[in-house]
Amino acid sequence: MAVVRDPSLLCGRITGKNPCLDLKNRVFGAPVFAGGFSCSGGKLKGKIGIGVRAALQVGVEESKRLRDLKGLRGVLGFDVVSEGELREKGFLGMRKTKLVCTIGPACCSLEDLEKLALGGMNVARLNMCHNGRGWHRDVIRKIKSLNETKGFCVSVMIDTEGSQIHVVDHGAPSSVKAEDGSIWLFTAQKFEGSRPLTVQANYEGFSEGIEVGDELVIDGGMAGFEVIEKNGSDLRCKCTDPGLLLPRAKFSFWRDGKLVERNYELPTLSTKDWADIEFGISEGVDFIAVSFVNDSGSVWHLKNYLSTKSSKSMGVLAKIESLESLHKLEEIVEASDGIMVARGDLGVEIPLEKIPVMQEEIVNVCRQLNKPVIVASQLLESMIEYPTPTRAEVADVSEAVRQYADALMLSGESAIGLYGQKALSVLRMTSSRMETWGREENQQCLLLQHQLGVSLPDRIAEQICNCAAEMANKLGVDAIFVYTKHGHMASLLSRNRPNPPIFALTNNDDTRMALNLQWGVIPLLVDLSEDMEANISKTIDLIKSRAMLKQGDTILVVSDVVPTRSTPMAFQSIQVKTIA
Ligand SMILES: Nc1ncnc2c1ncn2[C@@H]1O[C@H](COP(=O)(O)OP(=O)(O)OP(=O)(O)O)[C@@H](O)[C@H]1O
Ligand SMILES: CC(=O)C(=O)O
Ligand SMILES: [K+]
Ligand SMILES: [Mg+2]
């Protein structure tokens, strides 16, 4: 594919407004939705149309759900944060990298959740390892009520506990020191209370296949031990690398510098995980992130289950956090609706110095296979305690943005940290700055797009989106509009990481919530008719009537026309429109 090579085409279009403007202290009013579909003043000039006809029989759009929502959300489901950002910074200044916040005791009140939403949280993550379902239900309902009443568009993700082997007791309520040369007992035997120098594991098979002389590493390097005696499943170990044992610390065993890989036959989805998934279905969450996925089987299994159990479509995200998942990366990415680079647990199974390269590879594979990817864990770890990040943390966040990850995630920084909102604003400002740099340096032209589609319709959709993104960059249009039912066209555009924001117009609320994780996509919920031309002018009029599109703005419109009596063939098109 030809690419933009002349940065001068792009540089001048970056908004002059301060891209670092802090949204935190701004108060957005409740959304004011324009009523009706008046076409006055919505005339378009300079329309260029390119069409591709293909004999695709696509089902007719169904918009009953939208009508139900319309009364609540108004006719243009434009979330208040994106709208505020557009007014403040213009089209090009809109943030592309999406932000995920883990919700925990430090940010679970309605006020705190609202502050995170205002600060740009696109997805709220609930880690099912902690708290009871009542607590999680309360948080989910608060987020949904903020969406309904305050006009936010925050998706909800639950993250399964999975079956990982970890410490349940190490002799102290919080952290405990392991001194050099001290002798410890690692056991799966359950006992009441705490015993000094004794670590209780949660699974009796934790030491299967382990031999005297093996190295036991805690949390990827928090402390290290040598196994000096094995008695049944109990291990007596000598501390060789003094350090700290934290609650729920994870174990790994190493022999001759390599991880001892063992098949524990623990299911990726435990009985508790299935119960949590049922809970997620009943609460209507948008994403289920599956911990410790080792192959595509568990992902397909869950996806099939969800398709029979739930009318709502929920995204299944696979967390890459084991050595085994790296061996089967492509099949897992293909099976999933998205990926999380779970660097915390990944660092238990691979040497830490390998993580940056693995992260880059996972991000690239995901973009090639057109799946959104979240970079997670320890992005701003020091901000759990301190009000400012380290320079190294800012560099790490910038690197993930430079790699064009779809989303960045806060863990403890928001869940238990003292400065969660500030951490979110650091992610926001750092990603905006890096995105601006990427545009100025024309970095997206370095991205190669391998052909993804196999069938003709898929290849047409892919080519339309590749060409549309290239045109948008070369012409320097202000925004891309894409009409999409399931989000596929929007994600194909996003895959090219184009300079202008991608407004994805859909009449399907599940699609809207799923697109929250995609780089550069601003999902809008609108009523769509079968007449695509009418849809396009209606949407433009609506956005214009809110003074967000003005005379002279140029937009590129990608549409996928469904067959109707008047247009019996599916019709995909790219149009460039200049607002009159
Ligand atoms: N709902 C919660 N209640 C209490 N503490 C929480 C909650 N969620 C997160 N935390 C705390 O925040 C820290 C980081 O959170 P996070 O859920 O990202 O942990 P993690 O270990 O990286 O994830 P995972 O368990 O999926 O590997 C946890 O160690 C935990 O102490
Ligand atoms: C997020 C997560 O699960 C990890 O980093 O391990
Ligand atoms: K988890
Ligand atoms: Mg993990």
Side-chain angles (χ1 to χ4, degrees), residues 398-475:
S398 301
E399 176 58 12
V401 177
R402 193 197 59 74
Q403 291 171 357
Y404 287 108
D406 288 84
L408 306 173
M409 189 173 106
L410 294 179
S411 301
E413 300 92 332
S414 50
I416 49 168
L418 296 174
Y419 306 98
Q421 289 154 40
K422 203 168 174 201
L424 185 60
S425 86
V426 170
L427 285 191
R428 204 179 58 235
M429 291 191 284
T430 307
S431 45
S432 292
R433 171 57 65 208
M434 205 59 197
E435 289 163 10
T436 306
W437 174 84
R439 282 196 299 275
E440 284 170 354
E441 297 294 318
N442 203 15
Q443 288 290 302
Q444 85 290 338
C445 83
L446 302 174
L447 297 174
L448 296 173
Q449 270 4 315
H450 298 297
Q451 183 180 296
L452 193 62
V454 177
S455 68
L456 181 64
D458 285 349
R459 279 166 44 213
I460 292 171
E462 192 178 323
Q463 283 308 318
I464 287 262
C465 292
N466 291 352
C467 295
E470 189 184 349
M471 275 178 78
N473 289 344
K474 283 195 166 166
L475 297 172

Side-chain angles (χ1 to χ4, degrees), residues 117-266:
L118 274 173
M121 165 171 68
N122 301 104
V123 179
R125 164 181 178 254
L126 292 161
N127 188 351
M128 303 310 283
C129 292
H130 314 289
N131 299 91
R133 289 186 198 116
W135 184 90
H136 290 290
R137 180 179 294 114
D138 183 50
V139 172
I140 295 171
R141 295 195 177 170
K142 281 178 191 156
I143 293 165
K144 295 203 169 205
S145 115
L146 284 169
N147 285 348
E148 291 296 340
T149 58
K150 304 271 172 116
F152 296 116
C153 181
V154 176
S155 304
V156 175
M157 174 202 299
I158 57 166
D159 186 324
T160 63
E161 178 161 0
S163 320
Q164 206 197 15
I165 299 176
H166 61 83
V167 169
V168 284
D169 190 285
H170 54 38
S174 56
S175 64
V176 60
K177 265 191 177 165
E179 308 281 0
D180 197 14
S182 56
I183 308 293
W184 291 68
L185 176 70
F186 288 78
T187 178
Q189 281 173 43
K190 296 195 172 33
F191 50 83
E192 289 303 313
S194 294
R195 295 180 191 168
L197 299 173
T198 305
V199 175
Q200 196 189 127
N202 67 335
Y203 178 61
E204 66 265 18
F206 84 103
S207 62
E208 257 167 40
I210 298 309
E211 299 165 5
V212 169
D214 288 346
E215 192 188 353
L216 192 178
V217 177
I218 301 293
D219 279 339
M222 287 291 259
F225 298 82
E226 184 193 331
V227 178
I228 52 171
E229 191 186 324
K230 188 169 181 185
N231 193 351
S233 67
D234 288 2
L235 299 178
R236 193 161 297 279
C237 302
K238 179 175 165 189
C239 179
T240 48
D241 182 13
L244 280 182
L245 286 156
L246 300 180
R248 291 182 64 89
K250 318 275 172 71
F251 306 107
S252 60
F253 291 93
W254 300 73
R255 190 177 299 154
D256 304 324
K258 285 199 180 125
L259 182 81
V260 183
E261 287 190 73
R262 293 164 305 155
N263 184 0
Y264 292 115
E265 293 181 357
L266 287 170

Side-chain angles (χ1 to χ4, degrees), residues 13 58-59 71 100 113 141 188 284-285 330 407 421 453 476 543 553:
R13 305 207 59 88
V58 186
V100 183
L113 292 168
R141 295 195 177 170
V285 302
E330 288 202 13
Q421 289 154 40
I543 299 183
D553 284 348

Side-chain angles (χ1 to χ4, degrees), residues 78 83 86-87 91 543-544 546-550 553:
F78 197 174
E83 189 176 334
L86 171 57
R87 290 189 191 285
F91 285 105
I543 299 183
K544 237 188 123 179
R546 307 275 294 265
M548 286 181 286
L549 265 176
K550 56 184 189 315
D553 284 348

Side-chain angles (χ1 to χ4, degrees), residues 31-38 62-78 147-149 151 506-509 512 524-529 535 538 542 546:
V32 186
F33 293 109
F37 285 127
S38 160
E62 181 270 309
S63 58
K64 187 189 159 296
R65 268 169 65 82
L66 172 82
R67 271 181 228 112
D68 299 337
L69 285 161
K70 212 163 89 171
L72 297 165
R73 290 225 175 103
V75 285
L76 182 66
F78 197 174
N147 285 348
E148 291 296 340
T149 58
T506 181
N507 63 356
N508 182 323
D509 199 41
R512 180 193 194 215
L524 300 184
L525 189 66
V526 288
D527 202 352
L528 295 179
S529 72
N535 287 333
K538 238 165 32 184
L542 274 170
R546 307 275 294 265

